[in-house]
Amino acid sequence: MESAVQSQLIQQKSLGFFRGVQDMLPLSVAVIPWGILAGSAAINAGLSVMQAVGISALVFAGAAQLVSLSMLMTGASLLSILITVFFLTSQHFIYALSLREEVKPWSLKRRLSIGFLLTDELYATAMLKEKPSYAYMLGAGFSFYVSWVLFSLMGILLANKVPDLSTLHLEFSIVVVFLVMAVMLIQNKAAIYGVVSSSIMVLILSWLEIGSAILLAGFSGMWVAALFDQAED
């Protein structure tokens, strides 16, 4: 009887893990150009192949990696790079607070593993579940991590074959990844109104040549979504 229960638990964990992999698949595909760009940028910044692989494997933050490499190429100090990366990735503190109740019962080892794997993409995927399990988040986060490292490695190898990959404008994939996340999280009318209003506002503000157009449009979209969410309640 006990072995049957254990077998059932293992099966549930396996299903949760592979469901996480499946739900993360669109983002794992969308990140291909971004990973290639990050890998090639590391080589262009003067890092060795091992150093480039190490930064992709250990940092695991695409925007932070690209920004830090750009600052490194311009001769920025280590302190300024660390401060910039800290503020650039500060949203992860909000993600952690949002997921606090779900991960609170987990062991320290499990919390640390998910903490390392926690990205914008993993948070967006976790929001698809009312109460994501550890197996689900591990499957989603680990599969995305493997994709990131592999595609970064591809960029590292291509950088030695095809010089200056930046001319291919692979940075468009950053927008694609966040578009995929936005589509994944649109689950009610309030979210739709928020996305539509943000899109309209960014076009208007950009046309008017107003600085921080994207930031202002984002705030307006959140405000509109909050209003419609309250109205529905």
Side-chain angles (χ1 to χ4, degrees), residues 4-154:
V5 173
Q6 290 179 345
S7 177
Q8 187 176 6
L9 288 174
I10 293 173
Q11 185 178 9
Q12 289 177 348
K13 290 179 181 178
S14 298
L15 289 173
F17 181 90
F18 287 110
R19 182 57 188 270
V21 174
Q22 178 183 340
D23 289 349
M24 182 61 81
L25 187 59
L27 291 170
S28 297
V29 173
V31 83
I32 293 176
W34 193 353
I36 293 174
L37 176 63
S40 64
I43 296 297
N44 292 331
L47 300 183
S48 67
V49 172
M50 292 305 297
Q51 289 173 332
V53 173
I55 194 172
S56 290
L58 297 177
V59 175
F60 192 39
Q65 186 172 328
L66 289 174
V67 170
S68 61
L69 289 171
S70 298
M71 293 179 70
L72 183 65
M73 293 174 69
T74 57
S77 66
L78 178 60
L79 180 60
S80 62
I81 293 175
L82 290 174
I83 293 173
T84 302
V85 170
F86 174 80
F87 284 106
L88 189 63
T89 59
S90 58
Q91 77 274 15
H92 290 79
F93 292 106
I94 300 174
Y95 297 160
L97 288 172
S98 177
L99 295 169
R100 183 180 180 183
E101 293 304 316
E102 281 76 10
V103 305
K104 193 174 181 180
W106 300 351
S107 65
L108 177 61
K109 182 179 179 181
R110 290 188 171 190
R111 294 200 303 271
L112 289 175
S113 63
I114 295 302
F116 173 75
L117 295 172
L118 185 58
T119 56
D120 300 322
E121 293 80 6
L122 178 56
Y123 180 75
T125 305
M127 290 298 97
L128 298 174
K129 294 286 185 180
E130 184 176 347
K131 193 173 182 180
S133 65
Y134 172 73
Y136 178 85
M137 293 192 67
L138 181 64
F142 184 70
S143 63
F144 188 77
Y145 173 75
V146 171
S147 298
W148 174 257
V149 174
L150 288 177
F151 297 132
S152 296
L153 179 59
M154 186 182 299

Side-chain angles (χ1 to χ4, degrees), residues 37 40 44 158-169:
L37 176 63
S40 64
N44 292 331
L158 285 174
N160 294 320
K161 304 285 185 181
V162 185
D164 199 11
L165 283 174
S166 61
T167 57
L168 299 179
H169 301 291

